[in-house]
Amino acid sequence: MRTWEELENLAWQASSFSAPATSRLLAALKRLLQNRTHEQIEYAIRLIDENIEYYFQEEEDTAIRELKEALHFDDSLHDLFEWDYSDGEVNCYPTHRAIEYIQETSYLETEENTEDYEALLGYVERYGIDDEDDELPNVKEFELVAVLALKHFENAMSGFCPQTIEDEASDIDFPIPLQEWKEFRRKNAMRDLLRAWNILRIAEYDFMSSQRDEEQKKLIKEVKENAISENAQRAGKAKQSPYEKAGTIAAVNQLLEERKEMFNQWGGKAELIRLIIRKINNDEIPAPDVPTERAVTNWVNQFQKNMKPTS
């Protein structure tokens, strides 16, 4: 992690040719982190990376546990696991197909579809903050969020630094021409800078909330949540599976609602599954692609779970 002085110098260079207002962004981050030493900020970066990694792993582990529970009432899920019958015990382990199935049938937060600040805030909400950490005593949420913004800021500054880019491409075996690499790094730098600005907004809302009375805290929390939602929409990270985004599941549920009496008929459920796949194949139901029969079965099972008992 570069020092404040080094970052200020890079921010001044970036502001002068391609990234205006960069110095103001850095100044805002410096104010939020004014009570933290350089060593504490470096420690916080490592801690944040660990927390984000743990959050995504827990999301996956939870989804797998739920899938294992579903084994009791859906035999078709068995081939998503590897089975071990040694030592007189039965153990099952998820295959890569299990993760693909989870991503196909429900929303699973991963590094590919979730912003890192969302994962960090999710971790803090779920597990809290260790304010007794001797390496980072009495740390506040706004400080962690500000450090994450600072990390993106430094990444951006590396992309604006000609010497850094030339050093990266100096190896004789470097696979990309220098000019092409400069353009690539510049585009990534602009993305990191935008992320830093967006995350700064969240950090500032957290800071204001920590300084206000309860009524103002509620208002600031609402504004913060709106900012997070705007960021997610701008980045195209709506919390939906591909089939939810395409309106497939909504159309399937409407069809099932219209024909739910078929659940009471012999073979009616199987016929509904075939009907759904047929309508998707015929473009009568919107879908990004043709789902597997297992995925459709899962949607139908979920609809049945949500059905209100009829008298």
Side-chain angles (χ1 to χ4, degrees), residues 154-210:
E154 183 181 32
N155 290 343
M157 292 304 97
S158 295
F160 288 123
C161 179
Q163 188 60 54
T164 298
I165 297 172
E166 290 174 9
D167 289 344
E168 292 170 345
S170 62
D171 193 307
I172 192 170
D173 296 323
F174 196 75
I176 302 175
L178 177 58
Q179 186 57 38
E180 187 176 336
W181 181 243
K182 284 181 178 179
E183 293 173 2
F184 173 79
R185 292 289 273 119
R186 188 66 52 81
K187 287 180 181 178
N188 280 347
M190 291 304 298
R191 292 192 190 98
D192 269 313
L193 205 55
L194 177 59
R195 287 191 180 100
W197 274 111
N198 288 337
I199 298 171
L200 170 65
R201 292 172 65 197
I202 309 303
E204 288 180 329
Y205 293 139
D206 276 339
F207 173 74
M208 287 188 291
S209 180
S210 70

Side-chain angles (χ1 to χ4, degrees), residues 44-278:
I45 290 174
R46 295 193 298 273
L47 180 66
I48 289 167
D49 288 343
E50 291 173 4
N51 290 348
I52 290 173
E53 181 180 357
Y54 185 84
Y55 179 82
F56 286 131
Q57 187 60 55
E58 278 296 293
E59 286 290 295
E60 181 177 308
D61 291 346
T62 298
I64 289 172
R65 283 196 296 270
E66 292 175 352
L67 192 60
K68 285 183 177 180
E69 292 173 2
L71 287 169
H72 298 296
F73 55 85
D74 191 344
D75 292 338
S76 69
L77 302 176
H78 278 245
D79 63 350
L80 297 177
F81 295 85
E82 291 182 354
W83 296 84
D84 178 13
Y85 301 95
S86 61
D87 302 324
E89 297 182 357
V90 179
N91 296 302
C92 63
Y93 307 97
T95 66
H96 71 278
R97 296 191 304 277
I99 301 301
E100 290 175 353
Y101 173 78
I102 292 168
Q103 292 174 334
E104 184 180 59
T105 59
S106 61
Y107 181 81
L108 175 65
E109 286 188 298
T110 67
E111 292 180 8
E112 287 72 34
N113 60 26
T114 304
E115 294 286 348
D116 52 6
Y117 73 84
E118 294 178 296
L120 175 61
L121 293 173
Y123 178 94
V124 170
E125 182 178 2
R126 186 177 299 171
Y127 306 108
I129 295 176
D130 182 7
D131 53 11
E132 297 181 359
D133 188 338
D134 293 336
E135 300 289 338
L136 199 62
N138 300 314
V139 65
K140 301 296 188 290
E141 179 179 306
F142 76 83
E143 292 178 309
L144 293 176
V145 178
V147 168
L148 182 58
L150 184 62
K151 177 185 174 182
H152 282 291
F153 181 89
E154 183 181 32
N155 290 343
M157 292 304 97
S158 295
F160 288 123
C161 179
Q163 188 60 54
T164 298
I165 297 172
E166 290 174 9
D167 289 344
E168 292 170 345
S170 62
D171 193 307
I172 192 170
D173 296 323
F174 196 75
I176 302 175
L178 177 58
Q179 186 57 38
E180 187 176 336
W181 181 243
K182 284 181 178 179
E183 293 173 2
F184 173 79
R185 292 289 273 119
R186 188 66 52 81
K187 287 180 181 178
N188 280 347
M190 291 304 298
R191 292 192 190 98
D192 269 313
L193 205 55
L194 177 59
R195 287 191 180 100
W197 274 111
N198 288 337
I199 298 171
L200 170 65
R201 292 172 65 197
I202 309 303
E204 288 180 329
Y205 293 139
D206 276 339
F207 173 74
M208 287 188 291
S209 180
S210 70
Q211 309 297 311
R212 306 289 182 172
D213 61 32
E214 290 305 314
E215 284 302 314
Q216 288 175 313
K217 284 181 181 179
K218 289 180 182 178
L219 176 60
I220 293 170
K221 181 181 178 182
E222 182 179 338
V223 175
K224 171 188 168 183
E225 290 172 349
N226 288 338
I228 292 173
S229 177
E230 289 172 11
N231 288 350
Q233 292 173 7
R234 189 179 297 114
K237 305 298 184 184
K239 297 288 191 289
Q240 293 180 318
S241 73
Y243 294 105
E244 288 173 313
K245 290 179 182 178
T248 310
I249 296 177
V252 166
N253 286 339
Q254 182 178 347
L255 175 65
L256 293 173
E257 180 66 33
E258 294 171 355
R259 307 200 181 196
K260 60 186 177 183
E261 70 281 353
M262 291 180 65
F263 287 114
N264 300 321
Q265 301 173 11
W266 178 261
K269 180 176 178 179
E271 177 56 34
L272 281 170
I273 291 170
R274 289 192 292 271
L275 175 63
I276 291 166
I277 294 174
R278 189 162 60 247

Side-chain angles (χ1 to χ4, degrees), residues 27-46:
L29 291 173
K30 190 174 181 179
R31 283 195 300 274
L32 291 173
L33 296 171
Q34 60 184 320
N35 295 322
R36 294 299 168 185
T37 66
H38 183 76
E39 290 74 19
Q40 287 176 333
I41 291 173
E42 287 188 321
Y43 174 80
I45 290 174
R46 295 193 298 273

